[in-house]
Amino acid sequence: MLMRPEQLLLALIGEAAIGYPAWLLAAIGHPVIWIGAAIAALERRWNAGDATRRRAMGLALLALVAGGVGAIGWLIEAWAGDGVAVGVVIVLATTGLAQLSLDDHVRAVASPLLRGDVAAARAAVGRIVGRDTAALDESGIAVAATESLAESFCDGVVAPAFWFLVAGLPGLLICKVVNTADSMIGHRDARYLHFGWAAARTDDVVNFIPARISGVLVCLAGMGGWRTMLRDARHHASPNGGWPEAAMAGVLERRLGGPVRYDGETAHRAWLGDGPAPDAKDLQRALWVYRRACMLMWSIIGVLAWLL
């Protein structure tokens, strides 16, 4: 019988080694894509009316999709039991983890940036961040990619792993629903301010502990950054995003945050860390910190599996 820590460790190692096969993505898509399609379809139908109705329907959307996906996860775990079919649970768990894909996406920014190909790096970073990228120079690209790497370490790796340990496959899948809903509808613009309120607040709760674990893992992997994390994390607009980002800023001894532009409008953000803005070499260093943090997490889960 494989306990949850053992299942999670196998899922993490398998996902880091293989990822989600491109042929499977082309053939049937990805579970997160299916979740996103369900959220988008319901949003088009339900996001109407006054503020009270929008909030209620946004909550109903989250409950329906998360409950449905969680029920599917529970049924699969119940079917798998303790036999060889538990391998199905492990394989499905890999689809909720993003170690390799996150590494691939950030390397796609770092590699051309190290070669001095700012245009290619700018195009690559535009695929992983929501801010305006057309005018970003080397340091702006490095800041955007480093922040995305740090925050996504929580959202795409630590949070789903944490909830798998807590609640198995249903916990991991519900975590992905909440994260996906927040990224799609948890915005403060006129369209989503009320409808996406439930998704945004639930995402804050789901990521509360994982964000702090992520920051600790980054500091341990980078052998520093503690003072910056504890000082600056609370200045971030998100109650969670500041922890891994401030930790990475401290480890690199570089400054993240600051003003950015979204849809042509400037957003004034707090500064995280001290020193100059990161450059291409600092982004490469951030990748190595991220990889060590992932392996450190494997080690901790391995120890937990051994103790249990």
Side-chain angles (χ1 to χ4, degrees), residues 86-287:
V86 75
V88 174
V89 173
I90 295 170
V91 170
L92 289 174
T94 67
T95 67
L97 302 165
Q99 297 166 110
L100 183 59
S101 63
L102 179 56
D103 193 281
D104 288 344
H105 281 94
V106 177
R107 272 194 299 113
V109 179
S111 296
L113 203 59
L114 286 167
R115 298 194 305 267
D117 189 347
V118 175
R122 188 183 296 125
V125 81
R127 290 189 281 270
I128 62 173
V129 300
R131 69 193 67 180
D132 297 344
T133 59
L136 293 182
D137 57 9
E138 178 183 345
S139 64
I141 293 168
V143 166
T146 302
E147 290 177 352
S148 180
L149 176 66
E151 185 175 14
S152 297
F153 175 52
C154 173
D155 294 345
V157 180
V158 177
F162 173 82
W163 286 107
F164 185 90
L165 282 178
V166 171
L169 187 60
L172 179 145
L173 293 176
I174 290 173
C175 173
K176 297 309 294 184
V177 169
V178 172
N179 286 342
T180 304
D182 178 60
S183 68
M184 293 179 64
I185 63 175
H187 309 300
R188 295 181 179 272
D189 57 21
R191 178 171 179 172
Y192 297 118
L193 177 62
H194 300 293
F195 188 78
W197 177 84
R201 297 291 76 78
T202 305
D203 186 74
D204 289 343
V205 173
V206 166
N207 284 315
F208 186 86
I209 296 175
R212 286 142 182 84
I213 295 173
S214 301
V216 169
L217 288 170
V218 169
C219 288
L220 289 172
M223 296 181 289
W226 299 97
R227 183 180 69 86
T228 300
M229 179 182 71
L230 295 173
R231 183 193 69 190
D232 293 347
R234 59 191 173 90
H235 299 310
H236 198 282
S238 163
N240 299 322
W243 289 86
E245 289 185 30
M248 187 66 80
V251 166
L252 299 176
E253 297 182 337
R254 294 294 183 266
R255 189 168 66 167
L256 301 176
V260 295
R261 293 179 69 82
Y262 293 96
D263 299 323
E265 299 291 331
T266 299
H268 297 282
R269 307 180 306 160
W271 293 103
L272 306 176
D274 304 297
D279 58 17
K281 292 182 180 178
D282 296 316
L283 178 56
Q284 186 65 39
R285 286 200 295 140
L287 264 171

Side-chain angles (χ1 to χ4, degrees), residues 13-76:
I13 294 173
E15 189 276 329
I18 301 173
Y20 195 75
W23 64 267
L24 192 59
L25 180 64
I28 63 171
H30 189 281
V32 173
I33 296 175
W34 308 337
I35 290 169
I39 292 170
L42 291 173
E43 188 273 334
R44 287 193 297 269
R45 290 169 173 79
W46 292 358
N47 188 9
D50 60 19
T52 301
R53 184 182 187 281
R54 286 174 187 259
R55 285 199 175 200
M57 297 309 292
L59 177 60
L61 178 152
L62 186 65
L64 178 63
V65 179
V69 170
I72 291 171
W74 180 83
L75 288 171
I76 291 171

